[in-house]
Amino acid sequence: MITVMKFGGTSVGSAEGFRRAAEIVSGGEGSKVVVVSAMSGVTNYLISFLDSGESNADEVIASLRQKHSGAAQDVLSEALLEEYLGVLDIRLQALKELLEDTEVRSDPYFNDNISSQGERLSAVTMSYVLREAGLDSVPLCSEEAGIHAVGCPGAGFADLDLTSRDLSYTLRPLLENGKVPVITGFYGKNGNGKPMTFGRGGSDYSAAVIAHAIDADFLEIWTDVDGFMTADPRIVDGAKTIDEMNFSEAAELAYFGAKVLHPRTIEPVRRKHIPVRVKNSFNPRGEGTIIHHLRAPQDELLRSVAVKTDLSIITVNSSEIAYRPRMVASIIDRIGDANVIVYAISTSLSTIAFLIHNNDVKDVLRNLNRLEGDEIERIDVKSNMCLICAVGDNLLDRCGASAEIFSKVRDANANVELISEGASTVSLNFVVSMDRATAVVRALHEGFIGDLQ
Ligand code: ADP
Ligand code: ASP
Ligand code: MG
């Protein structure tokens, strides 16, 4: 039996976190592959360093050294600590050289390289902590392991075939020899061997890709809450852990804002029917959530609510656009050229409206303005919107479900700006302004989920 176990930033955020993670890894049956995020705060720190345009490499190195060696000191025995510090310093020296090399800054993969450095450091730290716990562990960065990425810098995704091919060479022999590999989450290497990250929170996805590649029996996501919950517990006080979910529900919720899983996590494991357990590293005895193929249908209208924030509605106005399919096609083409995700689309006789991230508005407008002719009469932009994703069993087939849901939206004093229904059988998605997001999520939770056990 092989289990891929991913530990998030807070789960490896301190000496105590590393120690707990090592106990969890030591406790389970069979072979394990561990995937780690950066220690909490490290990726944000690296990204803010990049954003600030500063060049004080010494300060960055000192701060990262302090954070990692500080945690390791509390866990490792003297001999292992000395060896660990040697390896840590080699990695930090490489990072220092990278930060001081002004020529590489123009490399389109420079930001991905820097922002993924936290994972390289935490993987080494975790591996030594596992050795301290008596396991025969080896750290591997994504390049060494053979995680292949395609796509764009900052928004890559895995080449599953190539990754499967390479991981069977790199990981299988290690597992057969009783070793516990610790692999960096968050990024893979592109065709030129350059690091390409999978977007924020990407370590969940890395772990799913690895589970897929080695035909793991289980994927475990160890995080800081008791499992996949009925809503973000930071928004809804009474959010509850969901015992069991199917892949579709989890995938929709993750895609539409449930941060507990990176949006692309489910697809690789769904393909191979690998069950996912979401568990709390601070409460390992808790049951957590199991996500798998089948689940007995539930009577409740809603199972969970997610919210995707910082979105904009772009509305293209043109008379009788509905009768000009080629124009619709070229509008969609232009959006495609900007390589942005469209979260919802809605059309009328003379308008087409689509929902994108606030950050993508500029690129999309630039591309739309390149449309030839004077067919577009006007483009309107409404920013600071959010998409509410309400998930329930067979929601689409339940007569009156939308009416019930929207009555709660009205109670929350929110105006529905755009609706996307019918595309998925398990979810109803709609847009409200950001300032009503919390009220709407709470109203839906209280109305349909609050009393469930
Ligand atoms: P990690 O560092 O372990 O990857 P994240 O911070 O990325 O952890 O994800 C866990 C957080 O996701 C939780 O602390 C919680 O605030 C948030 N979250 C949002 N929606 C949900 C949900 N439906 N269930 C559980 N947690 C959620
Ligand atoms: N460390 C990365 C991030 O903060 C990846 C992850 O945590 O999954 O986005
Ligand atoms: Mg995460």
Side-chain angles (χ1 to χ4, degrees):
M1 187 176 86
I2 306 177
T3 306
V4 175
M5 311 173 88
K6 176 259 171 178
F7 292 89
T10 18
S11 300
V12 293
S14 61
E16 199 40 51
F18 277 112
R19 205 179 280 124
R20 251 193 320 263
E23 262 169 41
I24 291 167
V25 177
S26 310
E29 300 280 301
S31 304
K32 290 117 187 176
V33 176
V34 175
V35 178
V36 280
S37 296
M39 290 181 76
S40 67
V42 169
T43 312
N44 285 347
Y45 175 69
L46 291 166
I47 290 174
S48 62
F49 171 80
L50 287 168
D51 290 345
S52 71
E54 276 187 33
S55 52
N56 190 349
D58 289 337
E59 201 179 303
V60 175
I61 301 302
S63 153
L64 293 176
R65 190 174 197 283
Q66 166 60 32
K67 179 137 186 144
H68 293 83
S69 64
Q73 253 159 22
D74 285 351
V75 185
L76 301 183
S77 59
E78 218 169 291
L80 267 188
L81 180 64
E82 199 176 316
E83 190 184 322
Y84 163 76
L85 289 176
V87 178
L88 183 72
D89 283 337
I90 291 171
R91 298 221 167 190
L92 288 172
Q93 181 57 29
L95 174 59
K96 185 168 167 359
E97 282 163 20
L98 194 64
L99 292 173
E100 283 172 349
D101 183 345
T102 45
E103 275 179 20
V104 292
R105 288 191 176 225
S106 53
D107 181 319
Y109 295 93
F110 179 72
N111 282 8
D112 291 51
N113 196 350
I114 299 302
S115 59
S116 60
Q117 293 288 329
E119 273 70 13
R120 297 165 212 258
L121 303 175
S122 64
V124 171
T125 313
M126 182 70 176
S127 185
Y128 272 87
V129 174
L130 290 178
R131 281 173 65 182
E132 183 69 46
L135 300 176
D136 186 2
S137 175
V138 277
L140 289 174
C141 58
S142 304
E143 293 91 333
E144 295 167 313
I147 298 175
H148 291 266
V150 286
C152 313
F157 57 99
D159 179 326
L160 293 178
D161 291 338
L162 271 187
T163 303
S164 300
R165 185 199 67 189
D166 280 9
L167 291 198
S168 66
Y169 292 124
T170 54
L171 291 193
R172 291 225 171 263
L174 294 175
L175 297 178
E176 278 158 19
N177 286 312
K179 298 202 187 285
V180 181
V182 180
I183 308 178
T184 51
F186 191 31
Y187 76 100
K189 59 175 171 184
N190 77 355
N192 298 321
K194 304 260 179 147
M196 190 192 281
T197 53
F198 298 138
R200 293 307 305 267
S203 303
D204 303 322
Y205 176 61
S206 300
V209 166
I210 293 168
H212 168 278
I214 58 171
D215 290 315
D217 296 276
F218 283 102
L219 168 63
E220 291 182 352
I221 302 288
W222 289 89
T223 184
D224 59 358
V225 285
D226 274 336
F228 211 121
M229 304 182 80
T230 50
D232 185 341
R234 285 183 222 182
I235 299 181
V236 176
D237 265 351
K240 299 179 179 67
T241 306
I242 303 170
D243 302 338
E244 196 185 8
M245 301 174 91
N246 63 38
F247 285 129
S248 304
E249 293 170 324
E252 294 279 339
L253 287 161
Y255 178 61
F256 289 116
K259 194 189 161 210
V260 64
L261 290 182
H262 177 275
R264 300 186 82 145
T265 307
I266 294 298
E267 193 45 35
V269 284
R270 187 210 306 252
R271 285 192 194 193
K272 295 234 175 133
H273 311 277
I274 300 169
V276 183
R277 294 190 194 111
V278 182
K279 297 202 42 146
N280 189 349
S281 68
F282 297 83
N283 175 25
R285 287 177 198 279
E287 288 294 313
T289 302
I290 177 111
I291 304 168
H292 53 177
H293 249 303
L294 295 172
R295 179 179 60 72
Q298 311 276 307
D299 287 338
E300 300 84 24
L301 186 70
L302 290 191
R303 300 258 295 155
S304 187
V305 185
V307 54
K308 180 108 200 146
T309 56
D310 301 306
L311 303 176
S312 295
I313 301 173
I314 308 277
T315 307
V316 180
N317 299 263
S318 178
S319 60
E320 296 200 320
I321 202 170
Y323 289 107
R324 296 147 82 188
R326 283 198 188 288
M327 186 171 173
V328 173
S330 45
I331 289 171
I332 295 191
D333 246 12
R334 287 293 176 275
I335 301 168
D337 291 345
N339 202 19
V340 305
I341 295 179
V342 174
Y343 290 99
I345 290 191
S346 171
T347 57
S348 74
L349 172 64
S350 55
T351 59
I352 172 163
F354 44 90
L355 187 69
I356 58 175
H357 197 275
N358 284 346
N359 294 345
D360 293 329
V361 170
K362 238 164 98 192
D363 284 351
V364 165
L365 289 183
R366 192 184 316 114
N367 281 10
L368 286 177
N369 285 328
R370 280 200 206 121
L371 276 174
E372 283 170 15
D374 51 4
E375 290 155 322
I376 291 186
E377 286 158 19
R378 207 180 66 240
I379 300 177
D380 299 317
V381 180
K382 259 190 185 175
S383 288
N384 298 325
M385 298 283 133
C386 67
L387 186 71
I388 308 282
C389 171
V391 159
D393 267 333
N394 301 322
L395 210 50
L396 190 60
D397 300 329
R398 294 205 189 195
C399 188
S402 314
E404 283 191 57
I405 290 170
F406 287 127
S407 77
K408 299 293 171 204
V409 179
R410 178 201 53 211
D411 295 347
N413 228 347
N415 183 39
V416 176
E417 308 272 352
L418 192 147
I419 301 174
S420 173
E421 189 181 17
S424 153
T425 56
V426 297
S427 77
L428 165 63
N429 299 344
F430 56 92
V431 177
V432 298
S433 70
M434 288 257 287
D435 57 358
R436 301 314 302 150
T438 304
V440 171
V441 172
R442 287 183 182 155
L444 292 179
H445 199 275
E446 199 175 302
F448 303 113
I449 304 173
D451 295 334
L452 307 179
Q453 287 308 312

